Amino acid sequence: MATNQSLKLQNTFRPNGRVFEVERSAAEHSAVVRMLLEDFDEPDLLVTIIPISIDTSDDTLAKVFEWATHHKNMPKPALDDDGDRDEVVTIQLASWDDEFFSDIDSETLYGILIATNYLDIKPLYDMAVQVVVNMVRGKSTKQIREILGITSDFTAEEEAAIRKETAWAYDGEEVPNETS
Amino acid sequence: MTGTTPANGNGLPVPTSPGSVDEDVTHARHALSDLTLNSSPRNEKGKEKAKTTACRLVALPAELIAIILEYLVPLDLNHVAATCRALYRHATVDRLWQAHVQDNVPGQLVTSSHPCATFRDLYRAHDPRWFLPKYKIWFADEGFAGQLVVTRYSQQQGCIKGHVLVAYNTDHSLHVWEDHSQTIIAAFSPVVSLHVEIPAIQLSAHPNQDPYEDQAQSQQSREGRNFQPEIYMGVNTGGGLHRSFIHARHLSPEDASTRYRPHFPYGQIWPPPLLPAPHRVQGAGLERPMFLRPRDRANSRGEVYQRAFRIHKWFDNPSTHGADYNPLGSRRPAVYFTGNNMRELTQYNPPPGVLTRRVNIAEAISTYATLDPELYTPTPTKPFRGIWVGDYGPHGCEFIWIHQPDDDDDDMFDPESIARYADESDEAYAARKHDATIYRGRLEAIKLTGDSNVPRGEYSFIVDDLGGIGFLRVAHEPPFEGVRVVKSRGHLASQGFTMASDGGVRTDDYVPSQLFLISPDRLAQNWITMSRVTLFQRVDIDGLLVPE
């Protein structure tokens, strides 16, 4: 069986989802797809549209498959390999991946998190987590709000209470007092 | 793995704590309780606002947000918590904070946040002192002998405690070495334990009030608002000895090189040069005049150096007060021991925690530093790495660090490159490859505690090469049958070591000796010139970390 055989995948979460044609070796980055494939007879694969159901846009899925296609030759972990999801390790992004992530907006980034979590594409999922973590790490409350586009919904009273609750971590001069 | 969850389905439980012991926090919680009990805005105005501030990160499934937050350190979590209501709920999930406590408590599973209602409160209560249980062992600059303290966390008491590590030999028998009748082998059955009766460090989640502290100042620090550079640890049992814990700030590289002296005691920097450390701090209290300058102290949380600290001890005895020396600039009555230099100090080594008035010490500050755990954790190729206890005859037991430095050529070494002899059996060949892997490179025994001959921080003995040219023979005579013997150099010195600052002539020397590699847990050093063999045994530090 040729590994460059194409599979058809469709997101059925919303009606009229785009049908993606993805090379088999790329789609197999998803542990979920690989498990589904086991249930199909080989000849059927050419005609069957494999349904997936994820709350993300088609554009986001397109980015996920773009990544998977670029990395189609990267070895995939065995299906029974649970990995160390619990282990908190910092990953160094390779330059292509770095470029990949620098091009996408935060909406798509969150979508990639949801999609890779559903499809179980561990390498991309881990990287997306890392990218979000790096957006927040070492930043002040004010900076985090700006980066994530959050406006405080605290009342003044709550804001003061939080300041009091977290004052131990500040050296005095840098206690946040934004009241946006 | 589950699929997506509805965008608004992230109402994680947030620990609320009506029974909090800290009034201040309870008050703060009260204001925040609406966030935890009911996330919907309370009035129309709020509802409108909430709609416009919808944040996509917050809309992620709760499990994904939780995973992202797992990567953040406590300071980041605080910042995230302060951004908006939804992230407040996520960043205050106590499981995250339990993990941060656990990260600093090796050797035991942390399950209790006692006496705090939540792990978040517990983390706060001991911040920024979690480095104490994290780094486990601390050696002090007290006199020539020094001191080794093991720090650990007591969940039952919610307390960070430090205990002096003590060892004594239970077998003082001497044996004539049959094949070398001039040489005596000293038996060694050490008992190593923590001196638990009088802790050297005792830091509770809610510290004692310092009787000398200014009322207003202490009120402020009790509210947890300000960083406390010095924490009063209370009066020692019976003796009227007060103790406090002081955060240290490390010397700047320029400062360190200005302070450093090439000879013992190295300008009082701590740890001394043989012990690797990212930074050094100013030791204090050994030679006069030795002042702690403001820049030797951590005056804010950010200045805290996590690999050193100081303990300040003083007697509450008016008769010893009077001198105007005040090492900490505190308000408390302060004097320090008068007219001592190190040599006199070592005449009397009080048992841990029991300083007596017979010596002229009315006040003292000791400085403690630690060692990166990796440096004393054995590996398959560096099996002797560790903390050991050794027999130093009349000086008693001393603790040493066995250092097997990484060699530059470690990565290049490949046991498979060893050629097989023509008639060599599989077993013999495998054993030879195994030996070549383990018995290579340098081994240094560096004293963590010492004596008036060779003090703490100095070499006890050195093996230049465990293999190759260092190899002497495999012993055949009892009691060392089959034991590998390598060349070593033993460090000997006369009483008082070398006080370069006294213009002293260097009295220490390295003498040819032999090291017997009995096992990765036991070594014997043949001090040839002294006609004596003494033994060393590994100390299981991790086995001491869990309070009974």
Side-chain angles (χ1 to χ4, degrees):
Chain A
M1 171 202 60
T3 47
N4 59 359
Q5 171 190 12
S6 273
L7 305 176
K8 294 187 186 66
L9 296 128
Q10 184 180 29
N11 188 2
T12 57
F13 190 82
R14 290 186 194 85
N16 307 318
R18 196 192 304 173
V19 176
F20 291 92
E21 273 204 37
V22 185
E23 284 179 71
R24 184 181 176 134
S25 56
E28 281 183 338
H29 267 298
S30 161
V32 169
V33 168
R34 262 190 292 166
M35 269 185 290
L36 286 171
L37 292 180
E38 287 176 0
D39 296 337
F40 286 101
D41 290 329
E42 283 295 331
D44 291 346
L45 277 180
L46 297 169
V47 288
T48 310
I49 294 174
I50 301 168
I52 48 180
S53 177
I54 316 172
D55 181 10
T56 49
S57 68
D58 285 341
D59 289 347
T60 299
L61 271 185
K63 290 302 280 185
V64 170
F65 291 132
E66 178 194 331
W67 180 91
T69 303
H70 182 86
H71 292 284
K72 63 183 178 186
N73 294 326
M74 192 168 109
K76 289 114 194 156
L79 272 184
D80 52 4
D81 180 12
D82 247 1
D84 286 324
R85 279 271 152 120
D86 292 342
E87 202 154 310
V88 179
V89 281
T90 307
I91 315 160
Q92 214 36 267
L93 262 57
S95 64
W96 189 91
D97 295 320
D98 201 32
E99 194 88 346
F100 174 81
F101 278 106
S102 68
D103 278 354
I104 58 179
D105 58 26
S106 53
E107 204 72 5
T108 312
L109 177 60
Y110 303 148
I112 288 175
L113 269 175
I114 292 169
T116 52
N117 186 33
Y118 175 96
L119 291 169
D120 200 357
I121 305 178
K122 189 167 160 43
L124 184 55
Y125 170 85
D126 285 347
M127 281 190 280
V129 167
Q130 202 65 54
V131 169
V132 178
V133 168
N134 289 345
M135 285 161 63
V136 174
R137 185 179 279 154
K139 306 288 198 312
S140 70
T141 295
K142 199 175 170 191
Q143 287 169 318
I144 295 169
R145 282 186 188 148
E146 280 165 11
I147 292 161
L148 302 182
I150 302 170
T151 314
S152 170
D153 53 0
F154 291 121
T155 63
E157 193 195 9
E158 288 165 352
E159 191 111 9
I162 289 176
R163 211 176 312 151
K164 205 163 194 177
E165 211 185 63
T166 58
W168 58 270
Y170 300 96
D171 279 341
E173 70 282 355
E174 43 163 307
V175 177
N177 56 353
E178 317 96 276
T179 46
S180 48
Chain B
M1 190 168 302
T2 60
T4 55
T5 50
N8 59 352
N10 49 17
L12 285 183
V14 169
T16 55
S17 54
S20 171
V21 275
D22 197 322
E23 273 180 35
D24 186 43
V25 180
T26 310
H27 177 75
R29 281 241 171 64
H30 185 70
L32 295 169
S33 60
D34 283 347
L35 297 182
T36 64
L37 298 174
N38 177 13
S39 60
S40 63
R42 284 154 298 164
N43 52 42
E44 284 308 306
K45 196 183 162 201
K47 193 174 282 178
E48 212 170 291
K49 201 179 173 191
K51 231 180 260 172
T52 56
T53 60
C55 148
R56 274 295 289 173
L57 179 76
V58 173
L60 282 175
E63 63 190 80
L64 289 184
I65 295 183
I67 281 166
I68 288 160
L69 296 183
E70 274 176 21
Y71 285 84
L72 298 177
V73 298
L75 293 197
D76 289 331
L77 286 178
N78 270 344
H79 293 147
V80 168
T83 53
C84 65
R85 293 171 166 222
L87 285 179
Y88 177 87
R89 286 196 300 275
H90 283 296
T92 52
V93 167
D94 219 30
R95 192 180 51 79
L96 292 171
W97 293 87
Q98 184 173 3
H100 285 298
V101 170
Q102 180 70 72
D103 281 349
N104 292 293
V105 180
Q108 55 177 316
L109 196 63
V110 176
T111 55
S112 163
S113 63
H114 174 81
C116 300
T118 63
F119 281 104
R120 186 164 176 247
D121 286 346
L122 182 68
Y123 190 89
R124 178 181 94 139
H126 287 297
D127 179 272
R129 290 172 294 280
W130 285 109
F131 63 83
L132 286 167
K134 180 183 174 185
Y135 287 118
K136 305 186 275 192
I137 60 165
W138 303 87
F139 40 91
D141 61 351
E142 288 190 349
F144 276 33
Q147 191 182 60
L148 189 61
V149 164
V150 173
T151 41
R152 59 188 191 179
Y153 183 67
S154 163
Q155 296 189 61
Q156 207 180 355
Q157 298 168 351
C159 203
I160 295 172
K161 284 193 172 189
H163 302 284
V164 176
L165 191 62
V166 288
Y168 61 95
N169 186 8
T170 58
D171 183 353
H172 292 282
S173 60
L174 300 172
H175 307 270
V176 174
W177 195 3
E178 278 173 37
D179 287 27
H180 310 261
S181 58
Q182 300 298 306
T183 301
I184 301 288
I185 300 174
F188 191 47
S189 293
V191 171
V192 179
S193 61
L194 295 177
H195 186 78
V196 289
E197 289 76 16
I198 306 170
I201 299 167
Q202 184 157 19
L203 294 162
S204 60
H206 305 285
N208 306 310
Q209 182 143 17
D210 185 339
Y212 296 102
E213 197 84 9
D214 185 271
Q215 202 65 27
Q217 199 182 328
S218 99
Q219 191 57 39
Q220 206 179 21
S221 55
R222 279 163 79 85
E223 278 182 26
R225 195 165 304 172
N226 281 358
F227 165 73
Q228 287 177 269
E230 177 166 358
I231 296 160
Y232 182 63
M233 296 194 290
V235 184
N236 214 342
T237 333
L241 179 71
H242 297 260
R243 299 150 317 150
S244 65
F245 172 92
I246 310 170
H247 282 292
R249 182 183 185 180
H250 68 73
L251 294 164
S252 68
E254 303 78 53
D255 240 6
S257 61
T258 310
R259 289 257 159 176
Y260 175 75
R261 297 286 175 276
H263 301 293
F264 184 86
Y266 314 105
Q268 311 286 8
I269 59 156
W270 199 253
L274 286 183
L275 294 156
H279 294 285
R280 314 271 158 188
V281 301
Q282 181 63 57
L286 284 178
E287 284 184 310
R288 87 187 283 195
M290 184 52 64
F291 294 91
L292 274 184
R293 305 158 305 170
R295 65 175 186 272
D296 291 325
R297 308 164 61 188
N299 297 303
S300 67
R301 189 184 181 280
E303 287 177 0
V304 170
Y305 179 49
Q306 301 217 329
R307 297 185 190 222
F309 61 85
R310 300 188 178 95
I311 299 289
H312 181 196
K313 301 178 196 172
W314 72 97
F315 277 109
D316 193 7
N317 177 0
S319 69
T320 58
H321 299 153
D324 55 0
Y325 174 73
N326 188 344
L328 289 161
S330 66
R331 279 159 213 250
R332 69 175 57 105
V335 284
Y336 76 127
F337 46 93
T338 50
N340 286 302
N341 63 24
M342 293 183 68
R343 213 168 276 172
E344 283 170 60
L345 261 180
T346 57
Q347 301 293 310
Y348 178 72
N349 276 323
V354 193
L355 292 170
T356 84
R357 281 164 220 203
R358 276 179 288 143
V359 276
N360 289 330
I361 296 176
E363 175 170 32
I365 298 171
S366 319
T367 305
Y368 292 76
T370 190
L371 204 55
D372 194 334
E374 206 174 276
L375 294 169
Y376 59 87
T377 303
T379 68
T381 54
K382 308 282 180 196
F384 299 105
R385 272 183 193 164
I387 307 299
W388 293 61
V389 60
D391 170 22
Y392 286 86
H395 294 303
C397 291
E398 293 176 15
F399 296 103
I400 60 170
W401 165 47
I402 295 220
H403 179 35
Q404 283 190 275
D406 286 317
D407 295 319
D408 296 338
D409 63 345
D410 272 352
D411 294 337
M412 314 273 283
F413 176 75
D414 177 13
E416 298 308 319
S417 67
I418 294 168
R420 184 170 177 158
Y421 299 140
D423 55 348
E424 197 171 25
S425 70
D426 286 351
E427 293 79 29
Y429 180 49
R432 207 157 55 83
K433 280 195 290 193
H434 173 259
D435 283 0
T437 310
I438 289 175
Y439 302 119
R440 59 192 305 274
R442 191 175 165 89
L443 181 150
E444 302 174 349
I446 298 162
K447 290 190 171 191
L448 298 178
T449 61
D451 53 62
S452 53
N453 290 97
V454 177
R456 76 284 185 288
E458 298 295 322
Y459 283 123
S460 183
F461 56 84
I462 299 168
V463 175
D464 292 301
D465 192 354
L466 288 169
I469 54 163
F471 175 73
L472 288 172
R473 64 193 177 95
V474 173
H476 52 82
E477 71 278 29
F480 300 118
E481 295 99 326
V483 170
R484 191 179 175 91
V485 188
V486 294
K487 267 186 230 169
S488 66
R489 294 184 283 137
H491 195 187
L492 298 180
S494 57
Q495 186 82 7
F497 197 55
T498 304
M499 291 288 280
S501 54
D502 286 357
V505 180
R506 202 170 169 86
T507 61
D508 65 317
D509 200 6
Y510 290 89
V511 296
S513 54
Q514 300 170 341
L515 188 68
F516 289 67
L517 310 172
I518 302 168
S519 80
D521 298 326
R522 201 147 160 105
L523 298 169
Q525 161 83 349
N526 181 5
W527 307 86
I528 297 170
T529 56
M530 295 166 74
S531 303
R532 200 174 178 98
V533 175
T534 63
L535 288 147
F536 295 83
Q537 189 167 302
R538 179 185 295 279
V539 177
D540 176 19
I541 295 291
D542 287 352
L544 298 164
L545 294 182
V546 186
E548 297 75 27

